[in-house]
Amino acid sequence: MEPFILQDLYKKTLVEESVKKVQAPESPTVLSFLGNNKKGIAIVVESNNSLYLPDEELNFLLGILSACKLSMEDVAVLNIDKNNSATYQTIATSLDAHVVLIFGINCEQIALPLQFPHYQIQSYNNQVYLSSPTLNAIRNDKVEKTKLWNCLKQIFSIA
């Protein structure tokens, strides 16, 4: 049989081909942070006027880290103002954070389904959370510094 006769006989296809659209896996959220995050410690702040923190707050934070025998090598400072998509889940996965220190934001801002008072060490999702006022507020208040220090001693097992 000639090919053109076959073509005339079967003008419509016998098998319908449907094209399935394969959805590409969702790319992980990339967070921009300051530090090298070698110990999985996320420090979550909010600063509208600077990339991470204003100089005086950053210097105060460096002092806190030093007292805890930590450095910028060990932590990731995450400004949620510059990382709008940051949630407690993206912090856990992208930063592999097992300790999350929250300064001056409420837990809803990172979609954390818990509410707890400042200076209460809270375990959730195999992570340890600590919420406190802004670094600027703590920096100028001896009572607040003492409350923060007592919690940090517990979290980082400082004698």
Side-chain angles (χ1 to χ4, degrees), residues 67-81:
C68 294
K69 297 181 180 19
L70 297 169
S71 70
M72 290 305 291
E73 285 289 308
D74 304 318
V75 302
V77 178
L78 179 75
N79 181 357
I80 64 161
D81 190 61

Side-chain angles (χ1 to χ4, degrees), residues 102 104-105 116-121 130-134 144 147 151:
I102 301 170
I105 65 167
F116 51 96
H118 288 175
Y119 307 116
Q120 177 181 306
I121 299 169
L130 177 65
S131 174
S132 66
T134 64
E144 296 293 318
K147 289 178 186 177
C151 292

Side-chain angles (χ1 to χ4, degrees), residues 60-93:
F60 178 61
L61 178 62
L62 290 171
I64 292 171
L65 294 176
S66 177
C68 294
K69 297 181 180 19
L70 297 169
S71 70
M72 290 305 291
E73 285 289 308
D74 304 318
V75 302
V77 178
L78 179 75
N79 181 357
I80 64 161
D81 190 61
K82 308 298 186 237
N83 292 279
N84 296 340
S85 61
T87 65
Y88 80 96
Q89 292 164 320
T90 57
I91 292 168
T93 55

